[in-house]
Each structure stands twice: as C-alpha cells, then as structure tokens.
C-alpha cells in the first residue's frame, strides 16, 4: 500500500493525503433524528435536516469555514497562501489563525511525529484514553507502524492517527483518526455543507449517502459515504472525533480491473463502434447538463433526497445515448461491479463500533 502513504520520513507529506480527503468531505444536507437499530449495536437514522447540535459547535464551524475557503481558491490563489515548508501544519496557516480568533480556538504551532506504537499508547494514557482503539485497531496500527509513522501529536493537545487495513477482496483501507480536545481547531477538517449544483455528481454512483449514527459504546456522529470514501464527525466527552476512510483496490484487484476494462473496451467498440467504455460512459451521462438546464428543481430534489432512481431517470431522459448504448453500458457496469471498491454505511458503523467511546468521560 505504498501508494496510500509516505514512508517514514518525519516530514509533512501526509498533509497532502489529509487535504485531498478533506476536499471530498462536502455532502448533501445533514441528517438529524436517530431511529432504528442496526446489527452493530448502535443506532442509525437518515432524515434530512439542516440542524444538528454537532454543527453548532465552534470547532465544527471553524473547520467548515476553512474547507469552504480552500475550496473557493483558484490554483493561483492557493499558491499565494499555501505553506510548503517542512514545519507546515496547516495548508493556509493565516486563515487558520483568523478562524481561531473568530471562534476562540487554539491552533497547533508544533507537530511531533509518532514513530513508535509505545508513543501512541503514552499519548492515549496521558489523555486517560487507554484502550480507546480496541484490540483490532490497536493491532492494525502496530502493523502499520512497522513501515510508516503512525501520525502526529500536536502542542494543542490533538492526536492524529493513521491506520492501514489490508483486504485483498474488498480493497485496502486507509483510516485517518483525529482526536480534538474541546476548544481546539481540528487538524483534520470536515465540512457537511449542502452540495452546490456546480459540484453535483455526474453519475448515480457518485451520489452521497448521509446518516447519523450512535456507536454502541457512546458518542454521536454525523456520517456520509460516497464511492470509495467515507467520513464521520462526532463528539464524545470533551473531545471531537473526525474519522475519514478511503478504500483502494489491492494490487491484484487493480490488475484484474484493468484487464476487465480492456475486454469491455473491445466489446463496446465491436457492439456500437465507440472506442472505449469511458467514451460510452461520457455519452450515457451526456444528459446531465441538459437535465439541470431543463428541470433544475427536479434534479435538485433528487440530489437533496438521495433519490438515485429519479436522478438516473432525468439523466436518461436527456442523454444522447441510444437505448442500445444505454443497455450495453448497464451490462458493462454489472460486469465491473465485483471489481469496484466502496466504503459503505456498514463500514463506517463497524469501524466506529471497534472504538471504545466509553473511555471519554
């Protein structure tokens, strides 16, 4: 999994991973009421609402504003504010300082690499959180740290951990876990703002699923999944916890996928005369812009309600692809489905249930 993390170097290369993941943590709406019991022992709900006590916290508001700020910068503007030094903690430190003054939060001035699992245990013990990771994640972190640094500890009291989980069948996972004391600017930012039309998903598979969740050991979380990525933001005791999960195919699965796509490219060219599956996909989803122009209210409604069926129907209505091409694309998708990697709602729930939030008293 070398492509998912930097080697043990003691620098800030891991910031790039955090920044890349943070950009995709924008979701459609926020869910509130907690209903229904899932097999993991926690409770989950998925009602749309713009109100959540978690989102009223200054720690979250500052984090969301920071993400909105970064997302709104052009490449040229970003180049002017970015801190690329080896000591850099935040991508745009001046903005972080401004937000911390606005919301009365502390920010980190120094980060120390966690180079041994003993360091991690010592930091958890200092926070009276020994055992928080549970047996399974503790073992996975120990395995991760045989090859890589395990994250950082900051002088503002934050603890940031990275854990790799190998899974040849479903795809390897990189788990980012940030433990932020109350009154501190979160190092790993997250934003649960409503998604704008300009950032609307092109395909049904791109649509996001939003839900709330209460792990069996305590705490409250707002969560979202989108394709190979997922995130959860919650509170336990006097800490805020941000968890980001991204799944990538194993090397073996990547090779299988590439071979499968090559065969489907040939199939598509022979059947409809289009050079590749990618080009067929572009044609199938060619109606997305037209659908937004012709029926913006219906598209927005489908997006807000996570109504994949309605979203798909509107795209099909305005696509330039023929019925034969649409049917062929669906056939190709089904053939590729076993090769695709996703972070599911159950993945996030299962991982949250591996953590012991009862330690946060």
């Amino acid at each position: 999994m070398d492509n998912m993390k930097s080697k043990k170097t003691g620098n800030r290369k891991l910031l790039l991973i955090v920044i890349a993941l943070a950009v995709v943590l924008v979701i459609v709406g926020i869910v509130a009421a907690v209903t229904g019991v899932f097999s993991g022992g926690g409770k989950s709900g998925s009602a749309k609402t713009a109100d959540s006590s978690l989102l009223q916290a200054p720690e979250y508001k500052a984090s969301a504003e920071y993400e909105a700020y970064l997302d709104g910068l052009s490449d040229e503007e970003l180049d002017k504010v970015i801190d690329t030094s080896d000591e850099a903690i935040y991508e745009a430190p001046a903005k972080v300082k401004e937000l911390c003054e606005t919301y009365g939060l502390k920010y980190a001035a120094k980060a120390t690499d966690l180079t041994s699992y003993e360091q991690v245990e010592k930091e958890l013990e200092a926070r009276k959180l020994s055992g928080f990771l549970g047996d399974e994640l503790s073992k996975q972190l120990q395995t991760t740290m045989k090859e890589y640094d395990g994250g950082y500890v900051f002088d503002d009291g934050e603890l940031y951990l990275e854990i790799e989980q190998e899974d040849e069948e479903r795809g390897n996972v990189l788990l980012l876990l940030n433990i932020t004391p109350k009154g501190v600017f979160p190092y790993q930012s997250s934003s649960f703002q409503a998604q704008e039309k300009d950032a609307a998903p092109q395909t049904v598979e791109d649509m996001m699923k939003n839900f709330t969740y209460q792990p069996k050991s305590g705490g409250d979380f707002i969560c979202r999944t989108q394709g190979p990525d997922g995130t959860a933001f919650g509170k336990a005791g006097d800490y805020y916890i941000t968890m980001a999960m991204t799944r990538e195919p194993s090397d073996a699965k990547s090779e299988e996928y590439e071979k499968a796509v090559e065969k489907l490219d040939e199939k598509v060219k022979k059947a409809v005369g289009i050079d590749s599956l990618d080009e067929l996909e572009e044609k199938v989803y060619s109606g997305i812009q037209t659908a937004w122009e012709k029926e913006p209210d219906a598209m927005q409604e489908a997006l807000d309600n996570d109504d994949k069926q309605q979203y798909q129907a509107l795209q099909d209505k305005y696509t330039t692809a023929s019925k034969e091409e649409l049917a062929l694309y669906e056939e190709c998708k089904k053939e590729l489905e076993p090769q695709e990697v996703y972070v599911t709602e159950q993945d996030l729930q299962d991982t949250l249930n591996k953590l012991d939030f009862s330690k946060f008293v």
Side-chain angles (χ1 to χ4, degrees):
M1 295 173 68
D2 291 355
N3 59 332
M4 297 180 70
K5 285 186 64 185
S6 58
K7 296 282 187 182
K8 283 194 175 218
T9 56
N11 59 25
R12 294 289 163 272
K13 289 182 181 178
L14 297 183
L15 281 169
L16 300 176
I17 295 174
V18 176
I19 292 164
L21 284 174
V23 171
V24 300
L25 301 187
V26 181
I27 71 171
V28 186
I30 298 300
V31 290
V34 179
T35 58
V37 179
F38 279 70
S39 59
K43 296 180 180 179
S44 181
S46 57
K48 180 193 167 189
T49 176
D51 184 30
S52 169
S53 58
L54 282 170
L55 306 188
Q56 305 310 311
E59 292 82 356
Y60 171 77
K61 288 183 176 180
S63 175
E65 283 190 34
Y66 184 57
E67 285 307 312
Y69 167 76
L70 291 177
D71 198 39
L73 294 177
S74 66
D75 291 341
E76 293 76 15
E77 291 170 331
L78 186 60
D79 286 341
K80 293 178 181 179
V81 301
I82 191 171
D83 186 346
T84 58
S85 66
D86 287 344
E87 295 75 26
I89 294 175
Y90 306 107
E91 189 174 20
K95 185 63 178 179
V96 172
K97 290 181 180 180
E98 175 191 318
L99 289 168
C100 286
E101 290 176 4
T102 300
Y103 289 100
L105 301 175
K106 296 178 183 178
Y107 64 90
K110 181 181 178 182
T112 302
D113 297 278
L114 293 169
T115 58
S116 71
Y117 183 75
E118 288 71 27
Q119 280 180 281
V120 175
E121 283 292 338
K122 192 173 182 179
E123 292 297 335
L124 287 172
E125 184 178 352
R127 293 163 177 76
K128 298 182 180 179
L129 297 177
S130 295
F132 161 64
L133 293 177
D135 291 339
E136 185 175 341
L137 292 180
S138 292
K139 290 177 182 178
Q140 290 173 344
L141 179 57
Q142 290 177 57
T143 300
T144 300
M145 295 187 75
K146 290 178 181 178
E147 290 190 69
Y148 311 105
D149 292 343
Y152 310 117
V153 60
F154 300 94
D155 61 358
D156 59 8
E158 282 189 279
L159 187 61
Y160 167 80
L161 303 173
E162 296 193 346
I163 303 173
E164 290 184 351
Q165 304 168 334
E166 294 190 5
D167 188 331
E168 286 293 321
E169 290 304 312
R170 295 195 58 221
N172 298 326
V173 166
L174 176 61
L175 186 68
L176 310 181
L177 190 63
N178 201 67
I179 304 169
T180 306
K182 185 177 179 180
V184 169
F185 182 86
Y187 169 66
Q188 186 177 328
S189 299
S190 60
S191 175
F192 291 82
Q193 302 297 325
Q195 190 172 23
E196 297 178 359
K197 172 185 169 182
D198 290 344
Q202 296 295 301
T203 71
V204 171
E205 290 75 23
D206 288 337
M207 291 184 72
M208 299 175 181
K209 180 172 179 58
N210 321 302
F211 59 99
T212 56
Y213 190 65
Q214 289 182 319
K216 59 185 178 182
S217 62
D220 290 287
F221 285 83
I222 50 177
C223 310
R224 75 101 178 113
T225 59
Q226 183 190 28
D229 298 296
T231 191
F233 175 80
K235 189 173 187 294
D238 290 329
Y239 289 86
Y240 288 93
I241 296 92
T242 308
M243 186 180 79
M245 179 185 292
T246 187
R247 191 183 293 277
E248 289 190 355
S250 62
D251 291 340
K253 284 292 183 181
S254 294
E255 291 178 9
E256 287 181 29
Y257 186 84
E258 289 174 8
K259 291 178 181 178
V261 170
E262 287 177 4
K263 289 182 180 179
L264 290 175
D265 285 343
E266 295 175 5
K267 180 177 181 177
V268 167
K269 188 169 185 178
K270 183 177 180 180
V272 294
I274 296 177
D275 286 340
S276 68
L277 179 58
D278 281 346
E279 289 186 27
L280 175 60
E281 182 177 61
E282 287 178 16
K283 190 170 184 180
V284 167
Y285 290 108
S286 60
I288 180 73
Q289 185 172 355
T290 305
W292 275 108
E293 292 170 356
K294 299 287 186 181
E295 300 186 53
D297 292 342
M299 288 291 281
Q300 190 64 54
E301 180 183 31
L303 198 61
D304 290 343
N305 295 330
D306 292 335
D307 190 336
K308 296 185 178 182
Q309 186 174 359
Q310 180 179 340
Y311 200 82
Q312 180 71 68
L314 287 162
Q315 292 183 75
D316 290 348
K317 182 177 179 180
Y318 294 103
T319 185
T320 60
S322 66
K323 289 183 179 180
E324 180 187 5
E325 290 167 338
L326 287 170
L328 177 62
Y329 180 68
E330 288 301 317
E331 185 181 322
C332 291
K333 273 207 312 183
K334 286 181 180 178
E335 288 188 41
L336 279 178
E337 202 168 83
Q339 313 288 346
E340 300 287 358
V341 292
Y342 300 99
V343 168
T344 67
E345 179 177 351
Q346 195 66 52
D347 286 333
L348 288 182
Q349 292 175 3
D350 289 345
T351 302
L352 288 171
N353 280 325
K354 292 174 183 176
L355 298 165
D356 188 354
F357 295 105
S358 68
K359 301 295 182 180
F360 294 82
V361 293

